[in-house]
Amino acid sequence: MAANPLYDRLFAPLNGRESAFVILPDGTALSGDAFHAMLARAAGALSGQGVGPGDRVAVQVEKSPEALAVYGAAVALGAVFLPLNPAYTPQEVDYFAGNAKPRLLLADPSAEAALGPVAARHGCTLMTLDAAGGGSFAETMGQQPASLTPASRHPGDLAALLYTSGTTGRSKGAMLTQHNLLSNAEVLVEAWRFTGDDVLLHALPIFHTHGLFVACNVMLLAGGAMIYLPKFDAGEVIRLMPQATAMMGVPTFYTRLLDDPRFSHDASAHMRLFTSGSAPLLAETHTAFEACTGHRILERYGMTETNMTTSNPYDGERRPGTVGPPLPGVELRVTDPETGAPLPGGEIGMIEVRGPNVFEGYWRMPEKTAEEFRADGFFITGDLGFIDADGYVTIVGREKDLIISGGLNVYPKEVELVLDDQPGVRESAVIGVPHPDLGEAVLAVLVPESGAEIDARALHVETAAYLAGFKQPKALVTAEALPRNAMGKVQKALLRRQYADHFTGSGKWG
Ligand code: MLC
Ligand code: AMP
């Protein structure tokens, strides 16, 4: 049979597997074999729409077993899986569809009317899939056979396209190959000691690297099972934790658990591993979690473009505030951000990464790709950090103008462009400031037109058509002018200092 490395290693072993692969919160279990049949039916439904090797399949649906089966189906067919946050507005999806030109756009039925014109404009078929496994795509799946013949693929062929915004301009599609994904899953299974006995408490969304590749690919490769929650809910996580062995989360998961009086040492007694990533885990959260549960959270570092690059050790010392040494096969160096010259150990500079985990480049943006790679193949992450004498990496900040709110990325420029267009707003500066729940939250400093009053509620309603909810400012403040340096650049560092305790200082958050 033709080879398809990612399908062969991750999904083919499910065929005929009787043990549970996906366990739903009500206890219903889907065996590996049943999930594989679902995947085969999804592949049949995709093929029926003409999806074949290299075609993009854009998927903006709620988390469900079927949604994950569509990912497997795309891999089996050699198509390129393009997951999108359901929170994105039709306007935002319009951009992705126009850039990626998917053959199929799969959406929630509630978005069908709004996305119809988007699909028509970009020449893609629109089908629907809801959280309960209903919709036109699901109906078509029901008519398909429960077996499939995978397409032949090379390790260097594309498997996924994940959009990630740059510091300027629009989002860029990070092209991830079969080898990028498989090599990283192999490294993580080994590094974190996952086996077929593991049960992962899966509460992350599956439209990003963390929930899709780090969590699902690792469990697929290890042959384990997942308790598959539609989203993070502290009560559900605490209820189901005694049935799990591991959980992967963003720092907000851990702060919310610690804030919940139902969470205890007993609830986590059966667990062997908690990992954290996508945003900085405060050392105090690490310490508080250990005091509460006896578990030391294992923090790792990654990025859509690079998959996972560093990890604290499973057996060795997990150092709070660090992201650990580079994973096997990953080269990481710290350079002078201006010149690119490597810096001696201990000095803070730009983190650069090279290895089989690093993506191929940005979809149809060769000049953007060239800008973010060094001539010797190292990818410039935009994160600032240093490597200590023991090889542990510490991230101290970001050179890129990016806010990470609850593990979701918000690009200030994108929000500023929308705010600047609003009546009564002369200009705006969007910054990230500490937030007790989200780590960092979006705060907008607005300079009103003279005589204009800013109505926060009206502004929120007006901008909702353009910005997904998580990008909306959690607070608006007004100023007479924005602080600028001699070059005319807004001094964001100064604003961040000025509003540093906006959410933490006076109980104004929430
Ligand atoms: C939801 N909202 C957010 C938000 N998530 N606002 C800011 N930041 C967030 N992260 C807003 C919604 O728009 C809504 O606003 C309100 O909060 C309630 O929505 P919700 O869906 O009920 O929110 P909640 O369940 O509380 O979600 C918070 C969360 C979730 C932290 C659990 O965002 C989450 O699961 N984050 C994980 C993201 C992730 O997987 N990142 C990995 C990226 S990969 P309104 O106005 O409508 O009320 C990556 C690489 C790597 O970074 O290294 O892993
Ligand atoms: P994304 O583009 O969504 O993949 O986000 C990747 C970014 O998340 C990285 O460039 C980092 O800035 C940040 N990130 C991921 N993991 C960590 C971590 N453990 N600590 C600090 N920042 C992190």
Side-chain angles (χ1 to χ4, degrees):
M1 212 189 355
N4 179 329
L6 197 59
Y7 171 80
D8 295 345
R9 294 291 305 284
L10 299 190
F11 298 102
L14 294 169
N15 198 0
R17 179 178 136 186
E18 284 174 14
S19 63
F21 169 51
V22 173
I23 303 160
L24 297 173
D26 67 1
T28 316
L30 211 60
S31 71
D33 193 53
F35 182 81
H36 189 269
M38 187 185 273
L39 180 163
R41 293 196 168 97
L46 291 177
S47 297
Q49 297 303 321
V51 172
D55 287 332
R56 276 76 60 209
V57 176
V59 178
Q60 192 194 24
V61 299
E62 296 300 329
K63 185 175 172 184
S64 67
E66 286 80 1
L68 188 61
V70 176
Y71 162 52
V75 171
L77 296 175
V80 181
F81 187 66
L82 194 180
L84 294 169
N85 188 338
Y88 289 144
T89 64
Q91 177 119 358
E92 289 168 317
V93 175
D94 187 64
Y95 169 76
F96 301 122
N99 188 253
K101 295 272 184 267
R103 183 166 294 270
L104 182 79
L105 171 58
L106 197 56
D108 191 83
S110 63
E112 194 172 11
L115 289 178
V118 171
R121 194 159 35 250
H122 302 297
C124 49
T125 305
L126 177 64
M127 294 185 86
T128 59
L129 180 65
D130 67 22
S136 62
F137 187 78
E139 279 162 31
T140 314
M141 278 173 66
Q143 295 149 20
Q144 307 301 316
S147 62
L148 64 88
T149 308
S152 170
R153 290 274 91 184
H154 294 290
D157 287 333
L158 289 194
L161 196 55
L162 263 59
Y163 277 83
T164 148
S165 295
T167 46
T168 54
R170 304 302 302 263
S171 283
K172 299 165 288 186
M175 299 189 289
L176 295 153
T177 65
Q178 288 219 340
H179 187 56
N180 292 151
L181 301 182
L182 187 52
S183 63
N184 210 234
E186 283 170 344
V187 164
L188 295 178
V189 166
E190 176 74 25
W192 297 341
R193 311 279 194 273
F194 274 95
T195 72
D197 292 333
D198 275 303
V199 180
L200 183 79
L201 195 45
H202 192 305
L204 288 160
I206 57 164
F207 47 75
H208 278 313
T209 296
H210 198 167
L212 186 61
F213 301 142
V214 185
C216 297
N217 284 1
V218 161
M219 295 319 293
L220 283 160
L221 192 63
M226 302 193 287
I227 300 177
Y228 196 70
L229 299 180
K231 58 184 293 217
F232 180 84
D233 174 289
E236 283 291 88
V237 164
I238 294 164
R239 179 176 74 83
L240 293 163
M241 196 172 277
Q243 296 165 39
T245 63
M247 185 174 83
M248 300 179 187
V250 296
T252 299
F253 286 17
Y254 296 109
T255 51
R256 285 191 185 177
L257 286 174
L258 286 170
D259 279 346
D260 196 306
R262 295 166 292 184
F263 189 58
S264 63
H265 188 276
D266 287 354
S268 65
H270 181 243
M271 297 286 277
R272 70 166 186 88
L273 179 64
F274 292 92
T275 70
S276 178
S278 310
L281 181 78
L282 295 178
E284 68 198 50
T285 308
H286 181 107
T287 310
F289 199 83
E290 185 177 11
C292 173
T293 65
H295 290 283
R296 291 174 72 81
I297 299 173
L298 184 157
E299 185 171 8
R300 77 352 173 239
Y301 162 56
M303 200 174 164
T304 303
E305 287 93 330
T306 65
N307 294 286
M308 298 305 104
T309 50
T310 75
S311 170
N312 271 283
Y314 188 83
D315 289 323
E317 190 196 351
R318 299 179 193 168
R319 279 189 207 163
T322 84
V323 292
L327 283 159
V330 178
E331 293 172 85
L332 185 146
R333 70 185 181 196
V334 173
T335 62
D336 180 323
E338 298 303 322
T339 65
L343 293 174
E347 284 193 29
I348 294 174
M350 176 65 71
I351 297 178
E352 299 186 8
V353 177
R354 183 168 72 178
N357 51 308
V358 177
F359 76 136
E360 283 295 285
Y362 296 111
W363 176 256
R364 294 188 177 155
M365 291 185 187
E367 63 306 323
K368 289 272 172 219
T369 304
E371 274 169 28
E372 298 196 22
F373 279 93
R374 301 282 181 208
D376 59 3
F378 273 84
F379 174 69
I380 307 164
T381 62
D383 292 312
L384 299 171
F386 65 91
I387 310 176
D388 72 14
D390 301 327
Y392 281 59
V393 176
T394 299
I395 299 172
V396 298
R398 294 174 217 127
E399 204 199 45
K400 50 194 175 193
D401 193 12
L402 163 70
I403 301 166
I404 305 184
S405 168
L408 292 175
N409 292 1
V410 181
Y411 285 84
K413 189 82 204 156
E414 189 186 352
V415 183
E416 288 162 3
L417 287 172
V418 173
L419 292 175
D420 291 350
D421 262 0
Q422 299 308 309
V425 178
R426 176 175 299 159
E427 59 176 348
S428 63
V430 168
I431 52 172
V433 291
H435 188 281
D437 179 44
L438 299 167
E440 243 181 335
V442 179
L443 180 138
V445 185
L446 300 175
V447 179
E449 299 280 12
S450 60
E453 288 263 328
I454 305 274
D455 175 347
R457 196 63 230 158
L459 201 72
H460 181 86
V461 172
E462 279 303 312
T463 54
Y466 307 100
L467 294 172
F470 70 88
K471 299 179 189 172
Q472 292 273 359
K474 292 275 185 264
L476 298 171
V477 296
T478 53
E480 277 176 20
L482 297 176
R484 291 182 187 275
N485 66 14
M487 313 289 289
K489 202 168 174 280
V490 175
Q491 290 174 297
K492 291 214 166 163
L494 204 119
L495 288 175
R496 278 193 289 268
R497 279 201 298 279
Q498 189 176 344
Y499 295 103
D501 60 0
H502 187 86
F503 294 107
T504 50
S506 54
K508 270 187 278 184
W509 66 281

